[in-house]
Amino acid sequence: MISYCWKDQEVARKVARHLSNNGFNVWIDIHRMRDDINQAMLDAIQSSRVIVPFISEAYIDSRNCKLEMYYAHEQNKKFLPIQLSASPKVLDSAAYYFTAGMLYVDLGPKVWEDSSARSKAIKNIVAYLTDQCEMTNFSRNMKSKTTWGIILGAVLGIVLVIVAIVLGLHFANA
């Protein structure tokens, strides 16, 4: 889930597009808001593996952004904070508190305006999210492989029983 303040919409949309182009199912309110917007946000947080907040002064001043951050924190969601500003106001905020000590990606004005630095930052976002998705899918994949292993073993066992019966009938008639 992309969590951002409308003032930072341009950056958030571009990053969301890069993530979508890299195969991620990205929830961003521009495309998925219907009916009750508060419920839509709660559902988005609950169904997301990682919350990607775009932290800026506008973000920390936004009531809705604060609510999203608090709820995601209560749901024990993983965060990949995108730092758009390192102002004292941001560094003294609840958003910064919730994400202190976490890996973050700097997409502040200097990085955003430098196409090489911006490209590297976006690659870092993609790499981190890829790792997170692989880690969460690992247990599902293992369960899936185990299930297929059991099915394959059962089918092989049935085939061996049929071969034994056919061979037994063949030798009994010989």
Side-chain angles (χ1 to χ4, degrees):
M1 175 191 176
I2 301 287
S3 175
Y4 69 98
C5 180
W6 276 86
K7 180 181 175 286
D8 304 316
Q9 184 179 38
E10 178 187 349
V11 174
R13 287 180 74 163
K14 287 181 179 179
V15 171
R17 187 171 46 250
H18 279 285
L19 293 174
S20 293
N21 290 343
N22 279 279
F24 291 97
N25 181 12
V26 179
W27 192 99
I28 187 165
D29 63 355
I30 300 164
H31 305 300
R32 299 197 179 181
M33 289 296 250
R34 291 176 181 76
D35 304 322
D36 181 351
I37 63 169
N38 292 322
Q39 189 60 51
M41 291 294 205
L42 294 177
D43 293 344
I45 292 167
Q46 290 170 352
S47 65
S48 295
R49 292 183 190 155
V50 180
I51 308 302
V52 182
F54 285 72
I55 301 175
S56 66
E57 288 190 21
Y59 187 91
I60 63 171
D61 287 340
S62 165
R63 182 178 182 274
N64 286 339
C65 292
K66 287 178 191 171
L67 291 172
E68 288 172 21
M69 179 74 74
Y70 285 125
Y71 186 69
H73 184 264
E74 288 297 313
Q75 296 296 308
N76 294 314
K77 294 296 180 174
K78 292 180 180 169
F79 289 93
L80 176 59
I82 308 300
Q83 186 173 330
L84 299 180
S85 170
S87 74
K89 184 176 182 179
V90 168
L91 299 177
D92 194 32
S93 69
Y96 188 76
Y97 167 77
F98 283 135
T99 59
M102 293 182 185
L103 171 72
Y104 72 92
V105 176
D106 180 3
L107 268 180
K110 288 181 183 177
V111 174
W112 190 254
E113 292 167 7
D114 178 344
S115 63
S116 175
R118 180 178 61 237
S119 178
K120 183 179 178 183
I122 291 173
K123 284 179 184 176
N124 287 338
I125 295 168
V126 169
Y128 176 83
L129 294 176
T130 299
D131 288 347
Q132 291 303 310
C133 290
E134 287 174 0
M135 288 170 60
T136 19
N137 284 335
F138 179 74
S139 61
R140 282 193 207 130
N141 289 340
M142 291 306 294
K143 289 177 185 173
S144 176
K145 288 176 183 176
T146 302
T147 302
W148 280 109
I150 292 169
I151 292 169
L152 183 59
V155 169
L156 185 58
I158 292 169
V159 168
L160 289 174
V161 168
I162 292 171
V163 168
I165 292 171
V166 169
L167 287 175
L169 290 174
H170 176 73
F171 286 116
N173 291 334

